[in-house]
Amino acid sequence: MTETAPVPHRNLSIDQQLALRTAATHLAREFDGVFGQETIERFLHTSYDQFAGRSTIPNYLPLIAERFARQRLRALAKVEGHHTDGKPVVLFLCVHNAGRSQMAMGFFQHLAGEGAVAWSGGSEPGNEVNPAAIAAMSERGIDISREFAKPWTEEIVRAADVVVSMGCGDACPVFPGKRYLEWTLDDPAGKTADDVRPIRDDIERRVRGLLDDLGVPAQH
């Protein structure tokens, strides 16, 4: 995905301006000694821009921007060699980052625990995570209700060891040295929780197989 240049946010409410400053302080503390304030603010504000045009809940924008900027900065830290814990990083991609990739990330995080890292993204991110996917995952004791649909960025793809594409086709970014997998799965969009269950179970089976391939023991 192409990163847009940061633009001044002149129309923000006072509360949102305060929330963004607080987010910048949190990130500066977390990445102290790794990235300077300019880099942190650039990532925070470009992350905000990624969601500003389509968010249905503007009050949550600073929080979502902080979470996405944190993920991107962790990815950049890995790409630039500032952070090397040896854990495999898997990136799950689909079109809207609302169903398949969110369920795959949920299973991966639940089963891998601290043994590996999972991220997700979409080529055309939706406005929310599919409620039927949330319900189906809840039946397995996995809460993905706090996740949000998001794009991928270059540093996130470059930091991944394995990229799993689920229907994003030619939009899927390709970089040398990555392991790429293509999972053919039905799209949960417009389906009920009953319809989503078989997709969910197929995703769980594939995630367990991937963890086995990576040598990461499943915790459940």
Side-chain angles (χ1 to χ4, degrees):
M1 302 294 285
T2 301
E3 180 179 303
T4 57
V7 296
H9 298 127
R10 297 187 179 88
N11 298 322
L12 296 182
S13 67
I14 292 176
D15 286 345
Q16 285 190 314
Q17 292 178 40
L18 177 59
L20 277 178
R21 285 199 295 270
T22 301
T25 300
H26 292 162
L27 294 171
R29 188 182 302 125
E30 181 172 339
F31 292 97
D32 182 34
V34 179
F35 298 120
Q37 191 68 28
E38 181 180 348
T39 298
I40 287 171
E41 294 203 357
R42 176 165 57 86
F43 272 64
L44 178 62
H45 286 270
T46 54
S47 295
Y48 183 97
D49 292 338
Q50 294 278 2
F51 303 99
R54 56 188 175 84
S55 175
T56 57
I57 311 176
N59 288 343
Y60 290 162
L61 274 174
L63 176 60
I64 291 173
E66 179 182 346
R67 290 176 60 186
F68 191 47
R70 177 175 291 106
Q71 178 180 320
R72 294 175 60 200
L73 288 165
R74 286 175 178 171
L76 184 63
K78 182 183 178 189
V79 171
E80 294 187 348
H82 300 303
H83 180 70
T84 53
D85 60 9
K87 295 179 182 178
V89 176
V90 177
L91 176 61
F92 296 101
L93 301 178
C94 65
V95 178
H96 300 304
N97 190 219
R100 293 165 291 188
S101 56
Q102 292 284 359
M103 289 193 287
M105 183 178 72
F107 272 122
F108 193 96
Q109 291 175 329
H110 179 70
L111 295 170
E114 297 297 319
V117 175
W119 296 324
S120 69
S123 55
E124 301 172 17
N127 293 327
E128 63 177 3
V129 176
N130 186 326
I134 293 173
M137 292 298 286
S138 178
E139 294 173 354
R140 303 302 303 273
I142 301 172
D143 182 9
I144 62 170
S145 64
R146 295 183 65 252
E147 296 299 331
F148 55 98
K150 53 194 166 303
W152 62 68
T153 58
E154 181 174 329
E155 67 276 353
I156 287 175
V157 181
R158 288 189 178 280
D161 300 297
V162 181
V163 178
V164 181
S165 172
M166 290 170 273
C168 55
D170 292 340
C172 180
V174 177
F175 292 101
K178 309 293 175 193
R179 178 185 177 188
Y180 285 88
L181 299 173
E182 179 69 40
W183 290 358
T184 302
L185 295 158
D186 288 340
D187 189 345
K191 298 183 184 300
T192 66
D194 286 344
D195 297 328
V196 171
R197 287 189 190 104
I199 304 170
R200 174 202 65 190
D201 294 344
D202 192 2
I203 290 173
E204 179 182 8
R205 179 182 60 79
R206 291 169 187 262
V207 168
R208 287 185 180 275
L210 176 57
L211 285 169
D212 191 49
D213 286 347
L214 295 172
V216 178
Q219 303 296 307
H220 305 278

